[in-house]
Amino acid sequence: MNFQIKSFFDDSEYIRELVLQPLEHIRSNWDLYWDDAELKYIEEEDSFAKELNELILEISSVEPPVNYHRHEDKVANNFSQNSWANIEKKERFWVGEE
């Protein structure tokens, strides 16, 4: 298991506030708790912990493509075509908006 992927999700305030809390109307137990020993969310009744743990496992099993920047260039180039976009490619890097 990829420790870096799991630690990325470790007790994330952003996941709670931006993803899970807005789903409170679906499942009332939206405030998850992280288990440091098991490196996963504690599965409680009426929570999204089980699904989120499964998603983390799935993400950690993905092997990134060797040349992932090629895909990044396609997305950034497409975005840059918008008249309001403030990005451009300088040498190998896209600069401007985050």
Side-chain angles (χ1 to χ4, degrees):
M1 182 53 47
N2 189 330
F3 176 76
Q4 289 177 322
I5 297 293
K6 284 190 168 188
S7 65
F8 175 81
F9 289 94
D10 180 356
D11 205 21
S12 171
E13 289 295 321
Y14 290 122
I15 289 174
R16 279 200 288 276
E17 292 175 17
L18 301 177
V19 177
L20 298 172
Q21 189 174 15
L23 298 174
E24 180 180 22
H25 64 285
I26 297 172
R27 295 196 186 156
S28 59
N29 190 2
W30 62 269
D31 194 13
L32 303 183
Y33 299 97
W34 185 257
D35 183 335
D36 287 323
E38 295 291 323
L39 295 176
K40 68 178 190 175
Y41 286 100
I42 298 169
E43 295 181 16
E44 299 177 310
E45 185 178 341
D46 200 32
S47 79
F48 288 103
K50 182 178 186 288
E51 290 85 354
L52 192 51
N53 286 332
E54 289 172 358
L55 179 61
I56 292 168
L57 286 173
E58 185 176 339
I59 290 170
S60 68
S61 71
V62 171
E63 195 67 37
V66 174
N67 187 0
Y68 65 89
H69 287 291
R70 184 182 77 214
H71 303 290
E72 178 183 74
D73 285 347
K74 288 180 183 178
V75 172
N77 186 49
N78 188 35
F79 178 77
S80 72
Q81 302 303 310
N82 295 301
S83 60
W84 46 266
N86 185 26
I87 64 170
E88 63 181 319
K89 190 166 187 177
K90 291 195 178 189
E91 297 179 21
R92 296 181 8 224
F93 303 102
W94 288 92
V95 296
E97 296 183 38
E98 291 294 320

